[in-house]
Amino acid sequence: MKKIVLALVVLFAVVSCKDKEEIKPENLGAYLIYTSLNGAKFDQVEVKLNGKTVGILTQSYTDANSPVCETQTSASVLHINQPAGSYSLDAVATMKGKEVTKWSDSIRIEEGECRRSRLTSKL
């Protein structure tokens, strides 16, 4: 009986340690999302890729130039690393819990590249 239990434990350990398909860093592309909305017009922008929330912006990006690819996620820039492919991008800006504007677009992430989207509105 002990041998059977031991064999099952060993089998379980081997199966559970089996490598899962991992996304390798070289297969990823970078995508930066930021907004130039007037900071007084929103308190947050929720950003989703393919329906899944990937981050929240709480400040406007105020630099005149686009953020550089090395920019890390902050209150004003969302840095996303994803496998190459097409994604639906949806974002909703709210002020005190009420929607003030929204965006919907499709984006393309390319392996080893860095792309950007600036969310703008005539608010």
Side-chain angles (χ1 to χ4, degrees):
M1 181 69 169
K2 288 181 183 178
K3 289 182 181 181
I4 293 173
V5 171
L6 181 60
L8 288 173
V9 169
V10 170
L11 178 64
F12 179 73
V14 169
V15 170
S16 65
C17 290
K18 190 176 182 179
D19 286 340
K20 296 179 181 176
E21 273 189 49
E22 292 185 26
I23 298 171
K24 296 179 182 175
E26 62 269 13
N27 297 335
L28 299 177
Y31 209 93
L32 303 178
I33 300 171
Y34 60 103
T35 184
S36 58
L37 286 179
N38 179 333
K41 305 273 184 175
F42 76 99
D43 51 28
Q44 75 171 27
V45 176
E46 181 181 14
V47 180
K48 295 181 179 184
L49 283 185
N50 290 347
K52 180 181 175 193
T53 299
V54 291
I56 294 176
L57 300 171
T58 57
Q59 294 178 0
S60 185
Y61 183 78
T62 57
D63 195 326
N65 299 315
S66 297
V68 295
C69 289
E70 294 77 26
T71 303
Q72 295 302 308
T73 293
S74 66
S76 61
V77 178
L78 188 57
H79 184 124
I80 301 166
N81 289 308
Q82 291 286 325
S86 294
Y87 297 86
S88 64
L89 168 67
D90 295 293
V92 176
T94 57
M95 178 61 125
K96 297 181 182 176
K98 293 186 179 181
E99 182 181 306
V100 291
T101 192
K102 63 182 176 179
W103 301 267
S104 235
D105 201 0
S106 65
I107 62 170
R108 178 90 187 142
I109 296 177
E110 295 293 341
E111 182 178 320
E113 290 186 17
C114 176
R115 295 187 175 186
R116 299 162 188 81
S117 283
R118 180 176 68 151
L119 305 174
T120 62
S121 178
K122 295 182 181 185
L123 283 179

